C-alpha cells in the first residue's frame, strides 16, 4: 500500500504517519525529518537548506524530489510507503506520479486558525522524534515517552509558522483538487484527538466508510 498524508503544518501528519506505519508495517518517510537530519549532520544538502527551512519556506524541488525518489527505491519500500510532508506542491505531485504514485492520499482536514497554537506550543524530542504539546506534558524539557531532551523547532516560531501557513495555502492546497480529480483523496476530520483521527484513517484505508 502506498499512502500520502496531506495536511497543513500541525495537522498531525507525523503522528498519524507513525501510527499507520506501526499498524501496516510500512516505512514512514518524512521529508521534514530527512531535512532536519541533514541539517544536524551538516551535510552539503543540510547547509544549503538550513536557512530556507528555519524561515518556513520550502526546500528546492530538485533536491526534494531526488531525495524521495532515492528513498522510495530502497528495499524496505517494496511493499509500499507512508509519505509524510511530500508532495507539497504540484511539481512534486507530478514527479511522484512519474516514479511511484500513491494508491490513496489521506487529507487531514482542519482549519488553519486551529493550528497556530498547536505549532507554537509544540516540543519535539531529539531522541525518538515524537512531538508533544506543552499543555499536555508535565515537563517542557523531557520527553514523556523516552526521557529524551525536548526542543522547540526553529520553524515553530510564530513568524515561521505564519510563513508556513502562507506557503501551504499557496502551494500545497491545490493538491487536494489534484488528488480528488484522480479519485484518490480520502478526507478525514483532523479536529479530533489523535486516536479518533487514526480510527477514521483506518476506516478510510480499509474502505469501511
Ligand atoms: P515538516 O516537518 O513536514 O513540517 O517539514 C519541515 C520543513 O521542511 C518545511 O517547512 C520545509 O521547509 C521542508 N520540507 C519538508 N518537506 C518538504 C517538501 N516536500 N518540499 C519542500 N520542502 C519541504
Amino acid at each position: 500500500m502506498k499512502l500520502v498524508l496531506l495536511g497543513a503544518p500541525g495537522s498531525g501528519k507525523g503522528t498519524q504517519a507513525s501510527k499507520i506505519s506501526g499498524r501496516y508495517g510500512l516505512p514512514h518517510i518524512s521529508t521534514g525529518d530527512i531535512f532536519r537530519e541533514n541539517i544536524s549532520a551538516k551535510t552539503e544538502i543540510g547547509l544549503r537548506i538550513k536557512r530556507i527551512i528555519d524561515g518556513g519556506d520550502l526546500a528546492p524541488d530538485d533536491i526534494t524530489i531526488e531525495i524521495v525518489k532515492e528513498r522510495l527505491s530502497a528495499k524496505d519500500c517494496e511493499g509500499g510507503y507512508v509519505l509524510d510532508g511530500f508532495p507539497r506542491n504540484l511539481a512534486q505531485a507530478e514527479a511522484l506520479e512519474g516514479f511511484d504514485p500513491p494508491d490513496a492520499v489521506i487529507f487531514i482536514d482542519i482549519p488553519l486558525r486551529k493550528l497556530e497554537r498547536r505549532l507554537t506550543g509544540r516540543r519535539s524530542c531529539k531522541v525518538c522524534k515524537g512531538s508533544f504539546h506543552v499543555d499536555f506534558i508535565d515537563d517542557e524539557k523531557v520527553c514523556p515517552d523516552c526521557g529524551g531532551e525536548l526542543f522547540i523547532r526553529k520553524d515553530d516560531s510564530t513568524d515561521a509558522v505564519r510563513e508556513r501557513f502562507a506557503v501551504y495555502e499557496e502551494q500545497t492546497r491545490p493538491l487536494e483538487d489534484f488528488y480528488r480529480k484522480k479519485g484518490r483523496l480520502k478526507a478525514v476530520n483532523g479536529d479530533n484527538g489523535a486516536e479518533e483521527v487514526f480510527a477514521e484513517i483506518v476506516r478510510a484505508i480499509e474502505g469501511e466508510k
Side-chain angles (χ1 to χ4, degrees):
M1 186 165 49
K2 298 172 182 180
L3 295 174
V4 160
L5 279 179
L6 188 62
S11 59
K13 294 188 300 294
T15 303
Q16 297 301 331
S18 118
K19 285 174 173 291
I20 294 170
S21 159
R23 178 161 177 136
Y24 298 101
L26 299 167
H28 171 187
I29 299 163
S30 154
T31 40
D33 282 349
I34 294 173
F35 286 140
R36 282 184 289 277
E37 280 157 20
N38 273 277
I39 291 171
S40 308
K42 297 194 164 62
T43 64
E44 203 186 315
I45 287 177
L47 296 172
R48 264 183 77 185
I49 59 176
K50 180 175 175 3
R51 234 177 314 145
I52 302 174
I53 290 189
D54 286 351
D57 293 318
L58 294 186
D61 283 340
D62 54 348
I63 298 181
T64 311
I65 290 167
E66 204 41 52
I67 283 178
V68 173
K69 193 172 176 184
E70 199 186 312
R71 180 65 188 85
L72 294 185
S73 69
K75 196 150 182 52
D76 66 329
C77 295
E78 278 174 1
Y81 58 71
V82 190
L83 273 173
D84 155 16
F86 182 95
R88 255 179 158 97
N89 60 25
L90 285 169
Q92 295 180 6
E94 296 281 12
L96 183 62
E97 288 299 302
F99 60 80
D100 208 355
D103 306 311
V105 175
I106 311 283
F107 169 48
I108 306 181
D109 191 9
I110 176 165
L112 292 192
R113 69 188 148 75
K114 302 224 172 174
L115 294 178
E116 186 166 331
R117 215 188 120 57
R118 269 203 199 180
L119 288 167
T120 53
R122 177 158 78 174
R123 299 293 178 271
S124 305
C125 178
K126 284 191 175 165
V127 180
C128 74
K129 312 249 165 22
S131 58
F132 310 89
H133 196 278
V134 286
D135 288 351
F136 303 109
I137 51 177
D138 298 331
D139 186 334
E140 278 186 29
K141 297 208 160 72
V142 181
C143 174
D145 279 358
C146 76
E149 187 186 340
L150 294 180
F151 71 103
I152 304 177
R153 278 170 46 174
K154 280 224 174 78
D155 60 347
D156 282 342
S157 71
T158 306
D159 284 351
V161 164
R162 294 198 175 139
E163 177 62 18
R164 287 162 74 197
F165 285 165
V167 169
Y168 180 79
E169 281 303 345
E170 194 188 307
Q171 303 210 37
T172 312
R173 185 73 81 185
L175 297 186
E176 278 172 46
D177 253 6
F178 178 86
Y179 287 117
R180 192 176 288 117
K181 284 188 186 134
K182 294 187 183 297
R184 285 187 250 151
L185 192 80
K186 295 174 189 291
V188 300
N189 178 10
D191 195 10
N192 274 320
E195 291 306 328
E196 282 166 277
V197 176
F198 183 55
E200 203 183 333
I201 290 175
V202 169
R203 285 197 297 276
I205 290 174
E206 296 178 7
E208 290 165 19
K209 241 176 148 180

